[in-house]
């Protein structure tokens, strides 16, 4: 299990803090392109929980990887194939969001690392939209809290006082 906190900062960016089941913590202030990375991390959560990935970004963090290691250039070396697949899918959802147009399943699968069903795409969009609504409603200085369980699916949290 992994407890995820994204604290909203004054400039719209987030500070990501992840607490593992053993109590160890990894965190990152999302400065450059910070507003994007808060939404990117929420998209990771939506993709990983909806599609059942165990070794995407949050799965690796739960295993003990540090945030810096998830670039594939850290002490742990290259990313596992599943994490690369997750990053590519998250990137597609980010690109779709940036375009302002919802893609058809066929358009999405043109660039996807594996074919996704319409139900999978709609599921990710639904979870992500719920997270974005929660994030939008959170005042500066408070945080979005989520729980990620690699063997389970979606457990949404709530807003609370600022952490990291």
């Amino acid at each position: 299990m992994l407890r995820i906190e994204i604290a909203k900062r004054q400039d719209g960016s987030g500070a990501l803090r992840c607490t593992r089941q053993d109590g160890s913590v990894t965190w990152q202030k999302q400065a450059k392109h910070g507003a994007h990375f808060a939404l990117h991390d929420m998209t990771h959560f939506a993709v990983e929980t909806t599609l059942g990935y165990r070794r995407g970004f949050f799965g690796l963090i739960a295993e003990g990887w540090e945030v810096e290691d998830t670039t594939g250039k850290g002490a742990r070396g290259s990313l596992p194939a599943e994490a690369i697949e997750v990053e590519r899918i998250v990137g597609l959802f980010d690109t779709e969001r940036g375009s302002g147009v919802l893609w058809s399943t066929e358009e999405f699968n043109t660039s996807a690392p594996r074919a996704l069903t319409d139900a999978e795409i709609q599921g990710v969009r639904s979870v992500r939209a719920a997270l974005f609504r929660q994030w939008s409603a959170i005042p500066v200085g408070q945080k979005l809290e989520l729980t990620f369980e690699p063997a389970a699916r979606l457990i949404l949290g709530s807003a609370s006082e600022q952490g990291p």
Side-chain angles (χ1 to χ4, degrees), residues 47-67:
V47 166
E48 293 179 42
T49 57
T50 302
L51 302 181
Y53 283 106
R54 294 177 181 208
R55 298 201 76 214
F57 175 75
F58 288 118
L60 295 179
I61 297 296
E63 285 180 16
W65 289 51
E66 296 299 318
V67 172

Side-chain angles (χ1 to χ4, degrees), residues 6-9 135 137-144 159-163:
I6 306 173
K8 188 179 274 188
R9 300 171 54 141
W135 181 249
I138 292 173
V140 170
Q142 292 193 353
K143 61 189 172 188
L144 177 68
S160 66
E161 295 304 311
Q162 178 168 349

Side-chain angles (χ1 to χ4, degrees), residues 78-147:
S78 299
L79 294 174
E82 185 173 313
I84 294 168
E85 181 174 306
V86 167
E87 194 61 48
R88 289 184 59 205
I89 292 170
V90 169
L92 288 173
F93 279 103
D94 284 345
T95 301
E96 178 192 53
R97 176 178 47 87
S99 78
V101 176
L102 293 180
W103 299 346
S104 69
T105 301
E106 293 76 23
E107 290 169 321
F108 199 93
N109 284 328
T110 298
S111 300
R114 70 170 179 90
L116 297 173
T117 67
D118 186 58
E120 288 174 321
I121 293 169
Q122 295 306 323
V124 170
R125 285 178 181 151
S126 177
V127 171
R128 182 183 63 175
L131 292 172
F132 286 5
R133 282 190 301 273
Q134 285 183 309
W135 181 249
S136 177
I138 292 173
V140 170
Q142 292 193 353
K143 61 189 172 188
L144 177 68
E145 293 183 335
L146 305 167
T147 301

Side-chain angles (χ1 to χ4, degrees), residues 2-33:
L2 182 70
R3 185 171 152 220
I4 302 162
E5 302 168 310
I6 306 173
K8 188 179 274 188
R9 300 171 54 141
Q10 187 69 37
D11 63 0
S13 67
L16 175 68
R17 177 185 166 105
C18 299
T19 306
R20 299 178 192 94
Q21 193 163 1
D22 67 3
S24 63
V25 174
T26 188
W27 63 277
Q28 177 183 50
K29 284 185 182 176
Q30 301 158 329
K32 188 176 181 182
H33 308 294

